[in-house]
Amino acid sequence: MATITKRGDTFRIKVSLGYDTEHKQIIKSTTFKPPQGVTPKKAEKLAQQFAYEFESRCKDYTELNENMRFSELADWYFENFAPVELKPSTAYTYKGQYEKHIKPLIGNMKLKEITTPKLTSVMKTFKLKPQSVRKIYVVIQSIFRRGVEQGYIRESPCHNVILPKNRQEKKKMSLDENEIKRFMELLDNKPWDEDFKRIIKVLLYTGMRSGECLGLMWEDIDFEEMTITINHNLTDIGGKHTLGSPKTESSRRVIGMSEVLASIFREQKAYIDKMSAALGKKFAHPEMVFTSALGNYRDRNSVYQSLKRFTKGTEFESLTLHQLRHCNATLLLNSGVDLKIVSEHLGHCDIGVTANIYADVLKSTKAKVADLITLKLA
């Protein structure tokens, strides 16, 4: 409750707003001067009314929060929110984005100075690809959102911020069916590390994320039920590999395994058993499906670099590991598999995510369905 102290013909009003992050009491004060000619009793009543309104404004939006610097809010975010609510790999990525791109530009700015137009201006300064700028913006957005939740600020400036758009030709998301067949022929016929080839085939046959594939353990492969259980995700955090949980709760899933895929896993099991027997206790992780030559966790970047070397000089030079996931989904959708089943197969959190990512594929599929009906009725 506000305290009111009469000083001559004015009233001094103080409001306590608790304590800040350094345990110092937060006091806000102001002076009220009643209109001339009012009685002392009326002046006191007006002062009480003014004090009530002043206290309400202070509790709704305080000057302390306005003057807090973005770096202070970010420090709180990475010390308190990120370790609890974010996956270690996500927290590591966010902190890297903040230190490299965000802190130098707005770290020393007061929160009240960071407006929507200001953020639009900041986003334009980055000499990066539009998708990279969007990733930076996601970090800023997350920090401000937590600031609002914790009462440091009343509202986030991350509304209607104008982000750069990709003016270039849209990159092809997936190979078409004929290209996939040619790629499979390349895998079968080109002499290369067979262990690498099996990883690529598993990604293509299952649509798993690369981290999920490299996080597979033998206990996840059920040759009797012909299923694969996705329970883990292998991440690289600052050069250290960590076997953690999948991206989201819906990413924990069980997918079917064809006989062809089972054969690939049996070949891999024989390979791992042979390597493990040769190295003995030096083979670090015999429980993993895919490992390095010494039995350590398989590095995702090393697999990607192997893919680049494997496809160099071919029509598939631009192929990425994640595109193999898109190839799997595209084949399923073009084969008429229900969108909900494909969404669950991919481990998406919502069917809308799948529909949004594969909008072009769905549009093509609808056209095929229309043609099929016409053909049947002809």
Side-chain angles (χ1 to χ4, degrees):
M1 186 173 178
T3 59
I4 305 173
T5 305
K6 193 172 187 310
R7 290 183 177 180
D9 61 347
T10 63
F11 293 86
R12 187 67 174 168
I13 300 168
K14 291 184 178 181
V15 175
S16 174
L17 296 170
Y19 297 84
D20 63 17
T21 54
E22 297 180 352
H23 306 291
K24 294 180 181 180
Q25 190 174 20
I26 305 167
I27 299 293
K28 297 297 168 188
S29 60
T30 188
T31 299
F32 172 71
K33 186 174 182 179
Q36 290 183 349
V38 300
T39 64
K41 190 172 182 179
K42 179 66 174 177
E44 186 176 338
K45 189 173 181 180
L46 289 172
Q48 289 175 347
Q49 183 179 347
F50 183 86
Y52 174 79
E53 294 173 353
F54 177 68
E55 182 178 21
S56 297
R57 289 198 304 273
C58 286
K59 289 185 175 180
D60 183 43
Y61 192 48
T62 70
E63 185 181 337
L64 170 76
N65 295 338
E66 281 185 299
N67 290 325
M68 187 182 198
R69 298 192 183 279
F70 186 79
S71 60
E72 294 178 84
L73 179 59
D75 288 343
W76 176 91
Y77 176 92
F78 288 113
E79 288 174 11
N80 299 279
F81 176 81
V84 178
E85 299 295 337
L86 300 180
K87 284 183 173 295
S89 57
T90 304
Y92 178 80
T93 301
Y94 278 21
K95 187 66 183 291
Q97 295 275 35
Y98 169 71
E99 293 290 346
K100 185 176 182 180
H101 299 294
I102 302 169
K103 187 176 181 179
L105 291 177
I106 62 173
N108 202 41
M109 291 181 65
K110 294 179 180 179
L111 298 183
K112 66 182 180 182
E113 297 172 340
I114 304 175
T115 60
T116 299
K118 179 62 181 178
L119 285 179
T120 295
S121 177
V122 168
M123 293 299 107
K124 289 173 63 178
T125 65
F126 292 116
K127 305 300 180 184
L128 301 168
K129 293 180 179 179
Q131 57 265 39
S132 298
V133 176
R134 288 178 181 277
K135 289 177 181 178
I136 294 170
Y137 177 67
V138 166
V139 180
I140 297 174
Q141 195 175 39
S142 182
I143 293 173
F144 270 118
R145 185 182 300 122
R146 307 314 157 195
V148 172
E149 291 175 355
Q150 295 298 313
Y152 289 116
I153 48 176
R154 182 170 57 184
E155 61 182 6
S156 169
C158 297
H159 296 294
N160 303 315
V161 174
I162 301 172
L163 300 175
K165 293 183 179 180
N166 195 346
R167 302 294 183 184
Q168 298 176 354
E169 185 178 344
K170 191 175 180 181
K171 188 177 179 181
K172 191 175 180 180
M173 187 171 66
S174 168
L175 304 179
D176 62 34
E177 291 189 33
N178 289 327
E179 288 172 329
I180 293 172
K181 288 178 181 178
R182 293 199 298 273
F183 180 67
M184 288 297 293
E185 289 175 3
L186 184 68
L187 277 174
D188 289 334
N189 300 322
K190 185 174 181 177
W192 208 265
D193 175 28
E194 293 299 324
D195 178 52
F196 160 77
K197 287 185 179 182
R198 285 190 286 269
I199 292 175
I200 299 303
K201 287 181 180 180
V202 168
L203 288 171
L204 194 51
Y205 274 106
T206 65
M208 282 190 279
R209 301 175 178 93
S210 55
E212 295 171 343
C213 176
L214 299 180
L216 284 175
M217 303 176 73
W218 287 115
E219 64 184 30
D220 301 326
I221 313 299
D222 191 330
F223 289 104
E224 291 186 7
E225 296 295 326
M226 296 295 281
T227 60
I228 304 168
T229 302
I230 298 171
N231 278 323
H232 308 96
N233 184 55
L234 186 67
T235 56
D236 182 347
I237 305 174
K240 181 180 179 182
H241 290 95
T242 302
L243 190 64
S245 58
K247 186 177 181 180
T248 62
E249 191 56 38
S250 55
S251 296
R252 293 182 182 274
R253 60 199 188 279
V254 178
I255 61 177
M257 179 169 60
S258 67
E259 189 55 53
V260 172
L261 190 53
S263 178
I264 293 172
F265 279 122
R266 290 190 185 98
E267 290 176 10
Q268 182 65 15
K269 186 71 170 69
Y271 169 78
I272 291 294
D273 288 347
K274 181 180 179 180
M275 296 289 290
S276 180
L279 293 175
K281 292 183 179 180
K282 292 182 180 179
F283 196 83
H285 294 290
E287 76 282 1
M288 302 302 295
V289 175
F290 298 108
T291 68
S292 69
L294 295 177
N296 295 314
Y297 289 129
R298 189 64 179 261
D299 183 67
R300 175 166 40 189
N301 187 57
S302 72
V303 177
Y304 175 70
Q305 293 305 323
S306 293
L307 177 64
K308 291 292 99 182
R309 290 192 296 272
F310 179 75
T311 57
K312 187 176 181 180
T314 72
E315 62 180 301
F316 307 110
E317 277 191 328
S318 62
L319 187 65
T320 67
L321 293 175
H322 199 69
Q323 275 184 296
L324 298 174
R325 175 172 165 85
H326 292 319
C327 289
N328 178 273
T330 300
L331 286 172
L332 292 174
L333 290 170
N334 282 340
S335 298
V337 179
D338 184 78
L339 180 63
K340 187 175 187 301
I341 294 175
V342 174
S343 182
E344 292 172 352
H345 170 78
L346 295 173
H348 285 160
C349 59
D350 186 273
I351 191 173
V353 173
T354 316
N356 183 52
I357 294 174
Y358 300 103
D360 290 344
V361 179
L362 291 170
K363 184 178 180 180
S364 174
T365 303
K366 288 177 181 177
K368 289 180 181 178
V369 170
D371 290 341
L372 180 62
I373 294 297
T374 302
L375 183 64
K376 291 293 183 181
L377 295 177

